[in-house]
Amino acid sequence: MNQPEKPIYVTRPLLPPLEEFLPYLEQIWESKWLTNAGPFHQELEKKLAGYLGVDHLALFANGTLALVTALQALRIAGEVITTPFSFVATAHSLLWNGIKPVFVDIHPETFNLDPEKIETAITPHTTAIMPVHVYGRPCDVEKIQKIADTYGLKVIYDAAHAFGVRYKGESLLKHGDLSTLSFHATKVFNTFEGGAIVCPDAKTKKRIDDLKNFGFIDEVTVVAHGINAKMNEVQAAFGLLQLKYIDKAIARRREIDAQYREKLSSVTGISYSPLPADTIYNYAYFPILIEKEHPLLRDQLYDKLRQNGIFARRYFYPLISEFPMYRGLPSAVPSNLLIARKVANRVLCLPIYPDLENESITRIISIIKGK
Ligand code: T4K
């Protein structure tokens, strides 16, 4: 077994030079303003809204709290239609709000919620749809909005993977009633931990800002059982610094994506979706499917890569609907989620991050090719 000197992980965080971060820390020490909508927080909200091309954005301590608060902000209750093919936080945010998730199958090419299957899952208790732009690839936002309009439903996009993605000339994050982002260490843009809600108007942002601060609207008035979901000044300062490097980082991701596409195109038993149409993509993940024609099963290839120090990941296996708190739901029955099951059993996300070296890509490809 050839163990490389350094392991290659599915991702590594974008970290600008440390010396460039120190002046931000000095400012924080000087001002003694550590959290609660401090100056770096305010600046990052403005700069990110500008960079992403959205009207309003509220920062959060992490993406999960952004999801939980987005649901609370719109007073979503009853049943919400969502995808089983996501990180577990998507559905957990529903349970945290006392909402029943209703799982609908995914589309075989985009791996996103299949709009053709949404309508049959709507009941008198349905209040919203929570789709996920999985791997940063746009959902069928037009069809989803049409269904939402017809049935009077809200749409909250879990856009945790969709930082910077543009669709048909504008930010993907402008679709739906709200979109949430994650700035976790493993994401295209990170603030160590962090997240945001993108919203269309100042009134909604005010409500969201109140909810992330325990529901206070002034020193003595609490209007809702809000939570503490505030981003602190160290996180926000890091975000400001990282924003300076983000275009370069995404450009390198694009090169890596192109190398995988080129080098894997002739490999028997490996398939991958084309780049999304009408989209400026962020190359957040590089998922491949290990088809029957490949000499190894998905888990055998996963193990073989690990034995060689390459830590590809099976995002998103198992399906959310298979976890104990979800598997008893009627919509979690395997026969309802055939495509999602097939994808979850075959998918493998290959390493992709700005510092990934070309030699590492060559090495990963040769293992997949069985050399
Ligand atoms: N919605 C969706 C669709 C999401 O994907 C997520 C999070 C959320 C909502 C919730 O957002 P947050 O509340 O997390 O902001 C990771 C992340 O923890 C999670 O944020 C992410 N999705 C999910 C897809 O992936 P793990 O358990 O796979 O992470 P972990 O610790 O195994 O890290 C993966 C690899 O990344 C490591 O092998 C090495 C590298 N890494 C990781 C960390 C944490 C580093 O190099 N440095 C690091 O600090 O969940």
Side-chain angles (χ1 to χ4, degrees):
M1 194 197 326
N2 288 333
Q3 195 74 11
E5 275 175 19
K6 271 203 228 153
I8 301 171
Y9 296 107
V10 68
T11 189
R12 301 252 73 190
L14 174 59
L15 285 171
L18 180 58
E19 60 274 17
E20 291 184 28
F21 191 44
L22 299 179
Y24 292 88
L25 293 178
E26 280 163 10
Q27 274 194 61
I28 293 171
W29 257 246
E30 181 68 29
S31 71
K32 300 192 177 1
W33 201 273
L34 308 188
T35 186
N36 289 10
F40 285 137
H41 176 284
Q42 302 306 83
E43 192 183 339
L44 184 61
E45 282 198 343
K46 282 205 191 74
K47 289 224 166 108
L48 270 181
Y51 178 83
L52 296 170
V54 300
D55 298 317
H56 297 274
L57 174 147
L59 291 171
F60 274 75
N62 60 59
T64 305
L65 287 169
L67 279 169
V68 169
T69 305
L71 290 160
Q72 193 188 6
L74 299 184
R75 289 185 170 276
I76 305 297
E79 294 177 4
V80 169
I81 289 170
T82 192
T83 170
F85 190 72
S86 180
F87 190 61
V88 73
T90 309
H92 276 2
S93 73
L94 298 171
L95 292 196
W96 275 100
N97 278 284
I99 296 164
K100 179 176 170 187
V102 175
F103 296 113
V104 163
D105 208 356
I106 60 171
H107 187 276
E109 192 175 283
T110 65
F111 306 160
N112 288 325
L113 207 52
D114 187 344
E116 305 301 334
K117 295 178 180 158
I118 291 177
E119 277 183 275
T120 53
I122 295 173
T123 76
H125 306 290
T126 311
T127 56
I129 308 170
M130 187 186 264
V132 181
H133 300 299
V134 177
Y135 307 132
R137 294 176 185 161
C139 291
D140 192 335
V141 288
E142 287 96 357
K143 278 195 190 151
I144 290 172
Q145 194 56 54
K146 198 159 173 256
I147 296 166
D149 292 343
T150 304
Y151 292 88
L153 305 175
K154 300 281 187 201
V155 181
I156 297 176
Y157 281 104
D158 179 342
H161 305 167
F163 183 90
V165 176
R166 295 178 72 82
Y167 176 66
K168 293 190 177 168
E170 65 169 3
S171 173
L172 179 62
L173 307 169
K174 285 181 130 177
H175 289 275
D177 294 277
L178 298 174
S179 288
T180 66
L181 287 162
S182 165
F183 305 148
H184 182 261
T186 54
K187 298 296 189 292
V188 169
F189 172 89
N190 87 81
T191 56
F192 283 44
E193 293 268 2
I197 300 180
V198 171
C199 62
D201 57 81
K203 204 170 129 191
T204 311
K205 172 159 161 51
K206 168 80 173 75
R207 167 114 178 117
I208 290 166
D209 283 344
D210 296 340
L211 290 174
K212 78 179 187 191
N213 186 33
F214 313 96
F216 274 106
I217 55 164
D218 60 36
E219 274 184 33
V220 291
T221 317
V222 174
V223 294
H225 60 288
I227 202 160
N228 180 1
K230 292 166 275 120
M231 179 180 276
N232 70 48
E233 285 293 276
V234 177
Q235 288 172 286
F238 187 75
L240 284 168
L241 175 59
Q242 182 148 151
L243 211 42
K244 297 182 183 173
Y245 287 86
I246 192 69
D247 287 338
K248 213 172 137 200
I250 293 174
R252 174 61 187 151
R253 284 177 174 275
R254 185 172 61 233
E255 284 172 11
I256 296 166
D257 179 287
Q259 285 196 45
Y260 277 136
R261 280 174 196 281
E262 191 206 317
K263 293 178 178 160
L264 288 172
S265 63
S266 57
V267 181
T268 312
I270 298 294
S271 71
Y272 44 85
S273 296
L275 283 168
D278 300 322
T279 300
I280 299 178
Y281 185 46
N282 64 6
Y283 310 91
Y285 293 84
F286 196 87
I288 57 172
L289 295 186
I290 322 306
E291 308 287 2
K292 283 197 205 88
E293 297 73 30
H294 195 274
L296 298 181
L297 295 170
R298 189 275 308 276
D299 287 349
Q300 290 172 329
L301 181 59
Y302 167 82
D303 287 338
K304 188 174 167 200
L305 286 163
R306 280 179 81 89
Q307 283 155 15
N308 285 276
I310 294 156
F311 296 88
R313 292 292 291 264
R314 294 166 289 187
Y315 298 131
F316 289 98
Y317 163 86
L319 292 176
I320 299 176
S321 49
E322 288 167 12
F323 292 122
M325 60 299 294
Y326 299 105
R327 65 184 172 220
L329 292 168
S331 64
V333 294
S335 57
N336 186 41
L337 305 168
L338 293 177
I339 308 286
R341 280 176 66 209
K342 189 175 155 198
V343 175
N345 287 330
R346 294 191 180 174
V347 74
L348 197 57
C349 286
L350 300 183
I352 185 164
Y353 52 89
D355 292 336
L356 184 65
E357 289 161 359
N358 290 342
E359 301 79 72
S360 303
I361 300 170
T362 309
R363 200 179 140 65
I364 294 164
I365 306 276
S366 72
I367 295 169
I368 295 171
K369 282 183 173 169
K371 289 181 185 158

